[in-house]
Amino acid sequence: FFQNYRFRMTWTGLLLLGLLLQTTLAGTCRALEPSLRAGAVAIDITPLKLPVIINGSMVERTADKIVDRLHARCLVLDDGTTTIAIAVVDSCMMPRKLLDHAKQLASQATGIPVNRMLISATHAHSVPSVHGCLGTDEDTDYARYLPGQIAKGIVQAHAALIPARLGWAFGRDEKNVACR
């Protein structure tokens, strides 16, 4: 009985010691965790001058009125060690030269390295052309305007950094099984 009692006391003591260490270390680790900050901006990139060349139709066409505003949705994340920027632009496609220019402008204003920036297009076929292809020329006025607006969105998102938390969810939609 004494040995069995001693065995139980040892494991009980180790369990209590483990709980004490876990509580102490958890508080210390929380203090050492980098804090996440996020900033987001949807900046208007609607053309200022009309008509504008529209791409994505195999033949060149123009738009002479605005139906919907266009945006560059910009997100900046900072974990205290690394800062990144992501921009999703209402555009069909954008050439590397335009993207590099937008990144350089944003980097100069924020200090975020250009290799920590990702810019993508929504691939819309009813937006101004900044890349000549498939029978459509570049709208040079709009192509000069767009990089500055993308950079401005990243700069504003960087200035809007506030404490943030990450989360995720999972769901099922049996009715709408193909989302495009």
Side-chain angles (χ1 to χ4, degrees):
F1 172 78
F2 184 71
Q3 286 180 333
N4 193 12
Y5 175 75
R6 195 166 153 194
F7 177 76
R8 275 188 267 154
M9 287 301 291
T10 303
W11 280 107
T12 304
L14 286 174
L15 179 63
L16 289 173
L17 179 62
L19 287 173
L20 178 64
L21 282 172
Q22 179 185 4
T23 304
T24 304
L25 290 175
T28 304
C29 289
R30 270 194 294 275
L32 296 175
E33 284 179 6
S35 59
L36 179 67
R37 296 183 310 146
V41 167
I43 192 160
D44 194 319
I45 60 166
T46 307
L48 301 176
K49 180 183 171 190
L50 297 174
V52 66
I53 298 172
I54 303 297
N55 68 341
S57 295
M58 300 298 188
V59 294
E60 190 166 295
R61 61 192 173 108
T62 60
D64 59 0
K65 66 180 179 179
I66 305 297
V67 176
D68 294 308
R69 307 305 290 182
L70 302 176
H71 295 90
R73 289 158 187 85
C74 304
L75 173 68
V76 173
L77 299 172
D78 181 350
D79 70 357
T81 303
T82 303
T83 304
I84 64 169
I86 302 169
V88 179
V89 182
D90 288 333
S91 184
C92 185
M93 60 184 84
M94 297 172 287
R96 167 68 64 186
K97 184 178 175 184
L98 184 146
L99 298 174
D100 288 345
H101 183 55
K103 290 177 181 182
Q104 191 60 44
L105 292 171
S107 180
Q108 289 170 355
T110 63
I112 302 170
V114 295
N115 67 349
R116 298 273 188 234
M117 294 184 190
L118 171 73
I119 304 173
S120 68
T122 58
H123 196 77
H125 283 241
S126 57
V127 295
S129 176
V130 294
H131 185 60
C133 68
L134 302 174
T136 305
D137 287 330
E138 168 190 287
D139 187 294
T140 54
D141 288 337
Y142 188 72
R144 280 192 299 269
Y145 168 72
L146 185 58
Q149 287 301 101
I150 295 169
K152 186 191 289 185
I154 293 170
V155 170
Q156 288 179 5
H158 184 262
L161 285 169
I162 59 171
R165 295 183 309 165
L166 288 177
W168 64 90
F170 177 83
R172 294 184 62 89
D173 183 359
E174 301 298 333
K175 182 179 174 188
N176 304 300
V177 294
C179 180
R180 283 200 58 165

